[in-house]
């Protein structure tokens, strides 16, 4: 098979991902876009949300990525923890967008599940403030909480989630398990013990049973920090079970039939290796994978001209000598209408009189043709590499449906660009 035939090869119809059928199905309630960094997950999520809204669905797009691209492409100044409606969409539906505010989400949970006095004590606790602002895994757990909140309201026909790069997005799936490990850890259980025992017995336990641990941790962390942790754990005691319960419920929601995962990748080896890794992880966790979105796929309107033939033609033009400057071009250049005179230089300072001893020949038609042939050869070689990389992925994962999105000539920065991506997603 020649490279041009290989570059022109397309997926079999049975292996093509029907994005319109996916987002148009009223049973589809959650779409999670995941993949490695720089492959266009945010753009894909926004394009899917816009396309679904313009087909009549009420959609909210939730981004966990702190980059501002989603807001910019939707014409919104900034996004926060509250869904904001996107104006100027064409269709009967609605499109809203939001960006996860990790700390605000944590605060909302505290306020919703405790009385005012306890909530005030928790929110002002220094350990809680550090935990809610940047504790490892808190962002992913709060994303699970926010997704659960959005789904429980039953206000949205479709929730589209844009995740961080894939290795971090795995933490999105692991959040309930890691939270459970944290809450079931020996340190937390010891710190919670005084609150559970209560009264004088609890104080006796705190003063005697924890004296050794308090002394060791006090030296390591400082006495004040340890007291802050103990106060935090005591105040949060009634909430810990709720955290785990809600996280487990959201995890089951991600496994439910109404959820669809889309793995987003570019047609490059490293990105597709990450995509394969994520496909395998989703299968291991029984997560419903809808398919792979292959972004920024290059094409050519002249695929019948192979790279080999284009290079051969360019070499023939160059080696035959017919690309040298002909007399006709010199004559044209030296014709009276193309001459710059001293009068031109005097009246217009930007015009300089060329040095007659320096001859710079114009590129001939043959030279330009040879250069274009080489550019075409490079494009065909790129197409061939992309197709081979994709074919390796599909050979390893024949069960995964694929949607190819042709590369756009420029960046996506507005609704028109998102529509163009959506059109390419739908094939």
């Amino acid at each position: 098979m020649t490279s041009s035939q290989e570059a022109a090869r397309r997926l079999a119809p049975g292996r093509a991902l029907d994005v319109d059928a996916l987002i148009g199905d009223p049973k589809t309630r959650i779409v999670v876009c995941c993949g490695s960094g720089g492959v266009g997950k945010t753009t894909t999520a926004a394009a899917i949300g816009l396309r679904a809204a313009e087909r009549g669905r009420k959609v909210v797009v939730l981004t966990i990525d702190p980059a501002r691209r989603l807001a910019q492409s939707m014409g919104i100044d900034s996004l926060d923890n509250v869904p904001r409606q996107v104006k100027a969409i064409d269709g009967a539906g609605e499109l809203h967008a939001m960006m996860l505010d990790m700390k605000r989400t944590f605060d909302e949970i505290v306020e919703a599940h405790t009385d005012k006095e306890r909530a005030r004590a928790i929110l002002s606790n220094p350990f809680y403030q550090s935990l809610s602002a940047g504790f490892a895994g808190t962002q992913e757990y709060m994303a699970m909480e926010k997704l659960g909140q959005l789904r429980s309201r039953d206000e949205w026909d479709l929730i589209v989630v844009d995740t961080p790069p894939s290795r971090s997005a795995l933490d999105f799936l692991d959040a309930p398990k890691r939270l459970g490990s944290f809450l079931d850890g020996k340190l937390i259980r010891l710190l919670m013990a005084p609150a559970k025992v209560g009264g004088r017995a609890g104080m006796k336990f705190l003063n005697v049973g924890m004296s050794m641990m308090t002394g060791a941790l006090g030296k390591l962390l400082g006495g004040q920090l340890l007291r802050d942790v103990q106060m935090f754990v005591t105040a949060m005691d009634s909430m810990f079970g709720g955290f785990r319960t809600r996280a487990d419920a959201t995890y089951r929601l991600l496994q439910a039939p109404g959820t669809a995962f889309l793995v987003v990748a570019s047609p490059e080896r490293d990105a597709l290796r990450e995509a394969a890794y994520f496909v395998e992880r989703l299968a291991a966790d029984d997560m419903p994978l809808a398919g792979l979105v292959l972004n920024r796929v290059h094409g050519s309107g002249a695929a019948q001209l192979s790279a080999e033939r284009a290079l051969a033609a360019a070499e023939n033009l160059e080696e035959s000598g017919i690309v040298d400057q002909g007399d006709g071009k010199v004559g044209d250049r030296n014709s009276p209408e193309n001459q710059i005179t001293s009068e031109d230089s005097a009246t217009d300072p930007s015009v300089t009189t060329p040095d007659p001893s320096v001859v710079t020949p114009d590129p001939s038609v043959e030279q330009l043709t040879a250069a274009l042939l080489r550019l075409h050869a490079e494009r065909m070689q790129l197409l061939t590499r992309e197709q081979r990389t994709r074919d390796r992925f599909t050979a390893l994962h024949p069960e995964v449906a694929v949607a190819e999105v042709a590369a756009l000539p420029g960046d996506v920065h507005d609704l028109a660009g998102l529509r163009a991506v959506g059109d390419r997603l739908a094939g």
Side-chain angles (χ1 to χ4, degrees), residues 348-361:
D348 186 352
S350 65
V351 177
T352 58
T353 304
D355 184 348
S357 64
V358 179
V359 178
T360 305

Side-chain angles (χ1 to χ4, degrees), residues 291-308:
L292 171 74
V293 174
L294 200 58
N295 245 340
R296 302 168 187 158
V297 176
H298 293 89
S300 173
Q304 67 275 14
L305 177 59
S306 70
E308 293 82 0

Side-chain angles (χ1 to χ4, degrees), residues 5-315:
Q5 291 172 322
E6 190 170 290
R9 192 167 63 244
R10 291 292 177 261
L11 290 165
R15 300 183 64 178
L17 172 63
D18 190 341
V19 173
D20 277 349
L22 175 68
I23 63 177
D25 186 351
K27 295 179 181 178
T28 303
R29 303 298 301 275
I30 298 173
V31 172
V32 182
C33 297
C34 48
S36 58
V39 296
K41 289 187 310 302
T42 301
T43 300
T44 299
I48 287 174
L50 176 62
R51 192 169 183 86
E54 294 190 334
R55 279 157 179 73
R57 304 196 74 182
K58 187 175 182 181
V59 186
V60 60
V61 179
L62 167 64
T63 182
I64 305 171
D65 188 343
R68 304 291 177 177
R69 293 187 302 276
L70 182 63
Q72 293 169 353
S73 64
M74 292 183 171
I76 299 174
D77 293 335
S78 63
L79 294 176
D80 54 23
N81 221 38
V82 178
R84 298 185 180 276
Q85 186 168 1
V86 178
K87 306 296 183 181
I89 70 165
D90 299 330
E94 291 182 15
L95 177 60
H96 301 250
M98 61 186 299
M99 185 175 71
L100 178 72
D101 184 329
M102 180 177 64
K103 188 179 187 311
R104 184 60 208 146
T105 301
F106 210 151
D107 292 349
E108 289 172 354
I109 296 168
V110 171
E111 293 166 348
H113 294 90
T114 60
D115 56 62
K116 290 184 178 179
E117 184 177 346
R118 182 168 291 189
R120 191 180 304 111
I122 294 171
L123 296 178
S124 62
N125 183 277
F127 180 73
Y128 167 79
Q129 292 172 356
S130 298
L131 176 72
S132 60
F135 189 77
T138 306
Q139 181 189 48
E140 290 75 21
Y141 176 75
M142 288 303 119
M144 296 282 277
E145 280 277 358
K146 181 56 67 176
L147 175 58
Q149 290 174 10
L150 292 171
R151 185 66 183 87
S152 66
R153 294 177 195 167
D154 207 27
E155 181 180 356
W156 315 99
D157 297 334
L158 180 65
I159 302 168
V160 183
V161 182
D162 166 39
T163 64
S166 64
R167 298 289 171 165
S168 296
L170 291 175
D171 294 337
F172 182 76
L173 299 178
D174 287 335
K177 186 188 303 180
R178 289 180 22 211
L179 179 72
S181 298
F182 170 72
L183 298 179
D184 291 332
K186 292 181 180 179
L187 174 60
I188 292 297
R189 284 189 277 115
L190 282 171
L191 292 172
M192 288 176 65
K196 288 185 176 296
V197 174
R200 294 182 178 179
M203 290 304 297
K204 183 178 180 181
F205 180 89
L206 178 63
N207 292 331
V208 179
M210 296 184 67
S211 58
M212 293 180 63
M213 184 191 74
T214 302
L217 288 177
K219 292 178 181 178
L220 179 64
L221 304 176
Q224 183 58 49
L225 176 57
L226 183 58
R227 285 190 292 274
D228 290 339
V229 173
Q230 289 171 333
M231 291 175 62
F232 164 75
V233 171
T234 301
M236 291 286 286
D237 179 30
S238 62
M239 294 182 58
F240 280 151
F243 275 125
R244 189 184 295 105
T245 300
R246 290 191 303 277
D248 290 343
T250 305
Y251 191 81
R252 289 192 298 270
L253 180 65
L254 291 174
Q255 294 175 316
T259 299
F261 280 82
L262 289 176
V263 177
V264 184
S266 58
E268 300 169 0
R269 184 177 59 182
D270 290 344
L272 279 172
R273 186 184 295 118
E274 288 282 320
Y277 172 68
F278 210 99
V279 165
E280 292 161 6
R281 171 62 197 275
L282 290 171
D285 284 13
D286 295 323
M287 297 291 174
L289 173 64
L292 171 74
V293 174
L294 200 58
N295 245 340
R296 302 168 187 158
V297 176
H298 293 89
S300 173
Q304 67 275 14
L305 177 59
S306 70
E308 293 82 0
R309 289 176 59 196
L311 287 173
E315 290 171 359

